[in-house]
Amino acid sequence: MSDDKIQVFKTTLQQKIQKLITEFAEGAISREQFHAIYERYTGQMALADLAGFTNQNSAEAIISMAQDGPPTIAVKESMMAKAIGMAIYDHRTGTLLETLGAFDVPPDKLAPILNDFTLMIENHKRQEREVRKFAARKWLVFAAGRFTTVVTLFYNEPSEAQGREIARLHHDFEQANQPAFISGKVDAGKLAYPFLVFVQQKVQKKG
């Protein structure tokens, strides 16, 4: 294999690395996805460097080795976060309004963070989304609105883009149901749930 071919391979690889960096910076992928794919690219780059110091036959074998393994898109897909379930809590009463999907998180794991959210809201302080690892490959995203707090359970670490999607759906949920929340007469069975689209789609993709 010529030095030119090795250099083309390395240049293409560097372009992929730059694209990966941009995707993470824009919030399109999670840290776990970034680390897994970056490690893969770094390993390929190291093999390409090694190929430059060997004879032609060995170089071809090394580059072939660097190209082996599952496609990068498969690695990314395997680590993409999927919404498993969701719980919605009413700030005014502190009670659980509704659960969607498969939300199997013990209440004692949620209580401390929910209490922090409620305290911040009572003190009129803006509470940003919070992401916490719950168990192996399971993550929780907490998002507070004007009337409710939404807790979403993900399989794999969610990206910033997925967090923003939750915030958008949460805003629509509170806007659609604002009359009920303002009146203080909230019947969970009569509320509209924009989140259903998000959770059901993710569950279907997982299956």
Side-chain angles (χ1 to χ4, degrees), residues 87-98 143-150 169-195:
I88 306 168
Y89 292 85
D90 187 334
H91 290 163
R92 185 179 60 84
T93 62
T95 59
L96 174 66
L97 274 178
E98 186 64 276
R146 179 183 174 188
F147 306 107
T148 60
T149 291
V150 173
L169 294 172
H170 193 185
H171 176 268
D172 291 348
F173 167 74
E174 294 204 333
Q175 286 290 305
N177 301 300
Q178 182 170 300
F181 287 122
I182 291 178
S183 71
K185 299 176 181 179
V186 181
D187 182 345
K190 295 181 179 179
L191 300 180
Y193 296 96
F195 305 111

Side-chain angles (χ1 to χ4, degrees), residues 61-150:
I62 291 171
I63 292 298
S64 177
M65 186 187 308
Q67 294 171 329
D68 283 345
T72 300
I73 187 65
V75 176
K76 184 185 292 187
E77 285 289 333
S78 71
M79 304 196 73
M80 182 175 290
K82 302 169 182 67
I84 300 172
M86 181 177 287
I88 306 168
Y89 292 85
D90 187 334
H91 290 163
R92 185 179 60 84
T93 62
T95 59
L96 174 66
L97 274 178
E98 186 64 276
T99 58
L100 308 172
F103 192 83
D104 56 347
V105 182
D108 62 321
K109 297 290 185 181
L110 297 175
I113 305 175
L114 288 172
N115 289 339
D116 288 345
F117 267 68
T118 301
L119 183 61
M120 292 287 284
I121 292 163
E122 288 176 349
N123 291 327
H124 304 290
K125 294 181 179 179
R126 179 178 173 79
Q127 184 68 27
E128 298 297 334
R129 289 191 307 275
E130 186 161 347
V131 181
R132 295 198 182 186
K133 191 167 187 177
F134 164 61
R137 304 196 76 174
K138 288 188 177 182
W139 295 73
L140 293 171
V141 176
F142 295 79
R146 179 183 174 188
F147 306 107
T148 60
T149 291
V150 173

